[in-house]
Protein backbone atom coordinates (compact mmCIF):
# COMPACT_ATOMS: atom_id res chain seq x y z
CA UNK A 1 0.00 0.00 0.00
CA UNK A 2 1.36 3.41 -0.93
CA UNK A 3 1.26 5.80 2.03
CA UNK A 4 1.26 9.60 2.04
CA UNK A 5 4.87 9.43 3.19
CA UNK A 6 5.82 7.27 0.17
CA UNK A 7 4.18 9.79 -2.15
CA UNK A 8 6.02 12.63 -0.45
CA UNK A 9 9.34 10.79 -0.79
CA UNK A 10 8.69 10.19 -4.49
CA UNK A 11 7.90 13.87 -4.99
CA UNK A 12 11.12 14.91 -3.25
CA UNK A 13 13.13 12.44 -5.36
CA UNK A 14 11.48 13.73 -8.53
CA UNK A 15 12.40 17.31 -7.66
CA UNK A 16 15.93 16.33 -6.64
CA UNK A 17 16.51 14.42 -9.87
CA UNK A 18 16.29 17.75 -11.71
CA UNK A 19 19.44 18.93 -9.92
CA UNK A 20 21.35 15.92 -8.59
CA UNK A 21 22.70 12.60 -9.82
CA UNK A 22 21.02 9.26 -9.12
CA UNK A 23 23.78 7.97 -6.77
CA UNK A 24 23.79 11.26 -4.87
CA UNK A 25 20.03 11.11 -4.31
CA UNK A 26 20.23 7.46 -3.26
CA UNK A 27 23.05 7.96 -0.74
CA UNK A 28 21.75 11.24 0.69
CA UNK A 29 18.13 10.12 1.07
CA UNK A 30 18.67 6.47 1.98
CA UNK A 31 22.15 6.42 3.46
CA UNK A 32 23.83 3.11 4.27
CA UNK A 33 25.73 2.23 7.45
CA UNK A 34 24.37 5.06 9.61
CA UNK A 35 24.67 4.72 13.37
CA UNK A 36 27.14 3.55 15.91
CA UNK A 37 28.64 0.09 15.95
CA UNK A 38 29.11 -2.39 18.75
CA UNK A 39 32.52 -4.03 19.10
CA UNK A 40 34.25 -1.71 16.66
CA UNK A 41 38.06 -1.83 16.68
CA UNK A 42 38.30 1.87 16.00
CA UNK A 43 36.25 4.97 16.63
CA UNK A 44 37.09 8.46 15.51
CA UNK A 45 35.38 11.84 15.66
CA UNK A 46 36.50 14.58 13.29
CA UNK A 47 35.44 18.23 13.13
CA UNK A 48 35.80 20.05 9.82
CA UNK A 49 36.58 23.73 9.31
CA UNK A 50 32.96 24.25 8.15
CA UNK A 51 31.83 23.32 11.68
CA UNK A 52 30.36 19.93 10.77
CA UNK A 53 31.57 16.69 12.22
CA UNK A 54 31.77 13.06 11.20
CA UNK A 55 32.15 10.00 13.40
CA UNK A 56 33.37 6.71 12.03
CA UNK A 57 33.46 3.17 13.43
CA UNK A 58 35.55 0.44 11.82
CA UNK A 59 35.79 -3.28 12.40
CA UNK A 60 39.16 -4.51 11.21
CA UNK A 61 40.34 -8.09 10.85
CA UNK A 62 43.78 -9.06 9.61
CA UNK A 63 44.38 -5.56 8.24
CA UNK A 64 41.12 -5.59 6.28
CA UNK A 65 38.07 -3.44 7.06
CA UNK A 66 35.19 -5.86 7.46
CA UNK A 67 32.58 -3.32 8.56
CA UNK A 68 32.16 0.46 8.74
CA UNK A 69 29.52 2.84 10.08
CA UNK A 70 29.23 6.61 10.32
CA UNK A 71 27.28 9.48 11.85
CA UNK A 72 27.34 13.15 10.90
CA UNK A 73 25.66 16.39 11.86
CA UNK A 74 26.57 17.77 8.43
CA UNK A 75 24.70 18.55 5.25
CA UNK A 76 23.07 16.20 2.72
CA UNK A 77 26.34 16.04 0.78
CA UNK A 78 28.16 14.86 3.90
CA UNK A 79 25.53 12.20 4.49
CA UNK A 80 25.91 10.99 0.89
CA UNK A 81 29.72 10.99 1.24
CA UNK A 82 29.62 9.10 4.56
CA UNK A 83 27.28 6.52 3.05
CA UNK A 84 29.36 5.84 -0.04
CA UNK A 85 32.60 6.06 1.95
CA UNK A 86 31.52 3.30 4.32
CA UNK A 87 30.32 1.16 1.42
CA UNK A 88 33.63 1.59 -0.40
CA UNK A 89 35.74 1.01 2.72
CA UNK A 90 34.27 -2.44 3.39
CA UNK A 91 36.52 -5.32 2.34
CA UNK A 92 39.41 -2.96 1.62
CA UNK A 93 42.81 -3.48 3.21
CA UNK A 94 43.96 -0.58 5.38
CA UNK A 95 46.33 0.48 2.61
CA UNK A 96 43.55 0.45 0.01
CA UNK A 97 41.29 2.42 2.36
CA UNK A 98 43.93 5.12 2.71
CA UNK A 99 43.79 5.59 -1.05
CA UNK A 100 40.08 6.57 -0.98
CA UNK A 101 40.24 10.29 -1.65
CA UNK A 102 37.72 13.11 -1.82
CA UNK A 103 37.99 12.84 -5.60
CA UNK A 104 37.12 9.10 -5.44
CA UNK A 105 33.95 9.89 -3.49
CA UNK A 106 32.92 12.78 -5.73
CA UNK A 107 33.35 10.61 -8.82
CA UNK A 108 31.42 7.70 -7.28
CA UNK A 109 28.52 10.06 -6.50
CA UNK A 110 28.63 11.54 -10.00
CA UNK A 111 29.45 14.96 -8.54
CA UNK A 112 28.35 17.02 -5.54
CA UNK A 113 26.21 20.16 -5.30
CA UNK A 114 28.06 23.39 -5.93
CA UNK A 115 30.00 24.56 -2.89
CA UNK A 116 29.94 21.12 -1.27
CA UNK A 117 33.02 19.38 -2.64
CA UNK A 118 34.72 19.96 0.73
CA UNK A 119 32.15 17.58 2.31
CA UNK A 120 33.88 14.74 0.44
CA UNK A 121 37.14 15.96 1.99
CA UNK A 122 35.64 15.69 5.46
CA UNK A 123 34.57 12.09 4.77
CA UNK A 124 37.85 10.91 3.22
CA UNK A 125 39.90 12.60 5.95
CA UNK A 126 37.77 10.92 8.61
CA UNK A 127 38.55 7.51 7.10
CA UNK A 128 42.26 8.33 6.94
CA UNK A 129 42.24 9.43 10.60
CA UNK A 130 40.37 6.26 11.57
CA UNK A 131 42.91 4.02 9.82
CA UNK A 132 45.77 5.91 11.50
CA UNK A 133 43.98 5.61 14.83
CA UNK A 134 43.72 1.85 14.36
CA UNK A 135 47.44 1.61 13.55
CA UNK A 136 48.35 3.77 16.57
CA UNK A 137 46.23 1.59 18.84
CA UNK A 138 48.09 -1.48 17.65
CA UNK A 139 51.42 0.19 18.43
CA UNK A 140 50.27 1.69 21.73
CA UNK A 141 47.32 -0.37 23.08
CA UNK A 142 47.21 1.71 26.28
CA UNK A 143 45.49 4.40 24.18
CA UNK A 144 42.34 2.28 24.42
CA UNK A 145 41.79 4.03 27.77
CA UNK A 146 40.38 6.96 25.80
CA UNK A 147 36.68 6.27 25.62
CA UNK A 148 34.36 6.93 22.72
CA UNK A 149 32.66 9.64 24.74
CA UNK A 150 35.97 11.44 25.45
CA UNK A 151 36.89 11.31 21.78
CA UNK A 152 33.44 12.56 20.81
CA UNK A 153 33.87 15.59 23.07
CA UNK A 154 37.38 16.25 21.75
CA UNK A 155 37.08 15.72 17.99
CA UNK A 156 40.16 15.92 15.80
CA UNK A 157 40.05 19.24 13.98
CA UNK A 158 40.83 19.11 10.28
CA UNK A 159 40.84 21.40 7.28
CA UNK A 160 38.86 19.24 4.85
CA UNK A 161 39.59 21.63 1.96
CA UNK A 162 43.18 20.34 1.98
CA UNK A 163 41.86 17.05 0.60
CA UNK A 164 40.66 18.71 -2.61
FE1 LIG B 1 30.07 21.08 6.29
FE2 LIG B 1 28.95 19.68 4.21
S1 LIG B 1 28.72 21.81 4.72
S2 LIG B 1 30.46 19.05 5.65
Amino acid sequence: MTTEWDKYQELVKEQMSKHFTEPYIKHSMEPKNVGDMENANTYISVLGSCGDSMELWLKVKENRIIDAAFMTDGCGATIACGSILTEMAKNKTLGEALAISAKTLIEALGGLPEGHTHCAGLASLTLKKAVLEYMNMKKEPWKKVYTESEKRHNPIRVDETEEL
Side-chain angles (χ1 to χ4, degrees):
M1 189 184 82
T2 309
T3 65
E4 282 302 309
W5 177 251
D6 293 334
K7 285 186 204 158
Y8 173 72
Q9 289 280 86
E10 279 313 307
L11 191 64
V12 170
K13 278 186 194 166
E14 197 184 300
Q15 290 302 315
M16 284 183 80
S17 66
K18 292 179 184 162
H19 307 283
F20 306 116
T21 66
E22 195 59 44
Y24 177 83
I25 295 169
K26 189 176 123 210
H27 283 280
S28 60
M29 290 193 68
E30 292 162 22
K32 309 267 189 208
N33 314 310
V34 181
D36 58 8
M37 182 192 283
E38 277 184 26
N39 305 320
N41 302 98
T42 303
Y43 165 80
I44 202 92
S45 176
V46 168
L47 179 65
S49 60
C50 65
D52 295 328
S53 63
M54 183 172 281
E55 297 171 87
L56 190 64
W57 291 260
L58 297 180
K59 258 185 210 163
V60 181
K61 198 172 174 191
E62 292 165 9
N63 286 332
R64 190 172 289 278
I65 297 170
I66 54 168
D67 205 2
F70 82 102
M71 288 277 270
T72 182
D73 58 3
C75 61
T78 316
I79 295 169
C81 289
S83 173
I84 200 144
L85 175 88
T86 46
E87 285 291 275
M88 289 177 110
K90 286 185 204 174
N91 298 316
K92 294 258 188 316
T93 63
L94 296 175
E96 289 166 346
L98 284 173
I100 298 175
S101 65
K103 193 168 169 257
T104 316
L105 301 178
I106 294 168
E107 281 174 5
L109 289 168
L112 285 174
E114 204 179 322
H116 285 271
T117 49
H118 72 276
C119 311
L122 180 64
S124 61
L125 264 179
T126 303
L127 178 59
K128 288 187 171 84
K129 297 283 180 195
V131 169
L132 292 177
E133 172 82 353
Y134 176 79
M135 289 169 166
N136 284 337
M137 290 278 211
K138 284 209 111 176
K139 265 195 288 180
E140 299 175 275
W142 63 268
K143 287 191 173 166
K144 284 189 184 142
V145 296
Y146 294 111
T147 63
E148 205 170 289
S149 155
E150 283 168 330
K151 289 186 193 172
R152 185 171 288 132
H153 289 107
N154 297 289
I156 298 171
R157 290 171 184 270
V158 297
D159 180 359
E160 70 279 11
T161 60
E162 284 177 4
E163 277 283 279
L164 303 174

